[in-house]
Amino acid sequence: MTEHLRADPDGIARAAALLAAGEVVAIPTETVYGLAGDARDGRAVARVYAAKWRPAFNPLIVHVADAGAAEAVAVFDDAARALAAAFWPGPLTMVLPLREDAGIASLVTAGLETVAVRVPAHPVARTLLAAFGGPLAAPSANPSGRVSPTTAGHVLDPETGLGGRIAAVLDGGPCPVGVESTILGRSAPGWQLLRPGGLAAEAVEALLGQPLAAPEPSADQPTAPGQLSSHYAPRVPLRMDADAARPGETWIGFGEDGPLTLSASGDTVEAAARLFDVLRRADARGQPIAVARVPQAGLGAAINDRLRRAAAPR
C-alpha cells in the first residue's frame, strides 16, 4: 500500500523518516509532483528508477533546500550564482559540473560529470527538505514517458500513476505551475536551453543580456532530464497544432470554451498549469487526441515542447 500523507507536521515527519530509511516518496513541487529518494543513497535512487521504469541513462534532478546546499553539490561560477539569486527558489534547474566531494550516487547523474540541481519554491517541498536535511533526487512521479502528475491523486492512480509501487505520497494540493522546470546548461560563450519549462526563457535572457542557445535535437544519451524524443505521452495518439477535431478524436482547445480547454482566455500560464490534468482527462476517454495551436511565447514554449514529445512516435 502507498501511504497518503497530509502536508502537516506529522505527515512531513513521516515522509522524512521514510526517505531516511531509503524509501521513495512522491512530493509536491510548484512544477509537478516528484518521486524523491535520498540522492546520496544508491539503493534509494535505484528504487526511484525501478518504480518509474525509467531508463538508467536518463539523469535525475537533485533538489536542495537553498543555494548553499546547491554549491555543496555542483561547481558554481558568477553567472550561475546570478541565475540562482534571481530565480531560486523556483522552476529553474541548472546543469553544472559535479563536485568531486558531492557524495551524490552515480545513478543520479547517469555517469555524467555534471549534475542537474534546483531549489524548489513549493512550501511543502521546502519544509520537507529542511526536515530531511539532505539532497533529494526527484524526477516526475509517474511511469517513465507518461503524463506527469500535478495532484496527489494522479500519483496514487494504480493504472496511470504509481499507486502501490512507492512508499508514500505527501499531498500538497495541485501544483501551481504545472509543467516541469526550465533546464539550463553551460554552452560557450553563455548558456543553452536544455529543456523549456516553468520559467520563461525570455526572463532568463533578460537577466543574462544575451540569447540562450537553442535546445539540441533529442538524443539517445540525454545530458539532462526531459530530453527523450517520446515523453509526457498519454496512452492514445496525440496530434498537436490542430484546427479542429477529426471524427473520433477528443478535442483539447486553447482560447475557447469547452469541456477540455487549456485556457478559455488564451493565457499560457493557466494553460501550463492545466496541461497535464487535461491530458489525463482526455486520455481517459480512450480516443485519439487533437490539441489546438498554442503560441510559442512565454510558457507556450514549454507547453509545445511537452506536446511535441507526447505526439512523437513511441
Side-chain angles (χ1 to χ4, degrees), residues 20-210:
E23 299 291 346
V24 295
V25 177
I27 65 171
T29 77
E30 70 277 20
T31 57
V32 300
Y33 273 72
L35 182 57
D38 187 343
R40 304 161 298 189
D41 182 347
R43 291 172 299 177
V45 178
R47 289 190 179 104
V48 170
Y49 278 98
K52 284 177 59 68
W53 299 292
R54 184 182 178 94
F57 58 77
N58 199 359
L60 307 179
I61 295 175
V62 176
H63 294 66
V64 293
D66 52 40
E71 293 219 32
V73 170
V75 178
F76 280 64
D77 58 14
D78 289 343
R81 291 189 183 98
L83 287 166
F87 300 117
W88 278 354
L92 170 67
T93 294
M94 287 187 278
V95 176
L96 299 168
L98 177 69
R99 283 197 178 278
E100 291 185 4
D101 59 349
I104 298 298
S106 59
L107 268 177
V108 172
T109 63
L112 299 172
E113 296 180 354
T114 55
V115 62
V117 63
R118 90 172 180 104
V119 178
H122 197 291
V124 176
R126 294 179 62 76
T127 302
L128 176 63
L129 282 162
F132 176 65
L136 293 173
S140 57
N142 58 291
S144 185
R146 294 303 182 184
V147 180
S148 299
T150 54
T151 69
H154 293 162
V155 181
L156 287 165
D157 189 308
E159 294 187 4
T160 60
L162 299 176
R165 297 184 56 82
I166 61 176
V169 178
L170 183 60
D171 192 341
C175 300
V177 174
V179 292
E180 292 82 356
S181 59
T182 299
I183 302 181
L184 303 181
R186 294 313 304 260
S187 176
W191 292 83
Q192 182 181 30
L193 180 65
L194 298 176
R195 179 181 74 183
L199 174 65
E202 294 91 335
V204 177
E205 291 172 336
L207 177 78
L208 296 174
Q210 63 182 37

Side-chain angles (χ1 to χ4, degrees), residues 179-182 193-203 205 212 215 226 232 240-241 254 267-269 271-272 275 293-309:
V179 292
E180 292 82 356
S181 59
T182 299
L193 180 65
L194 298 176
R195 179 181 74 183
L199 174 65
E202 294 91 335
E205 291 172 336
L212 294 169
Y232 317 107
M240 62 182 295
D241 292 333
F254 178 81
D267 180 358
T268 57
V269 174
L275 174 64
R293 288 185 178 84
V294 177
Q296 186 70 6
L299 293 194
I303 295 168
N304 285 318
D305 173 79
R306 303 311 188 268
L307 290 173
R308 275 190 296 272
R309 297 178 196 276

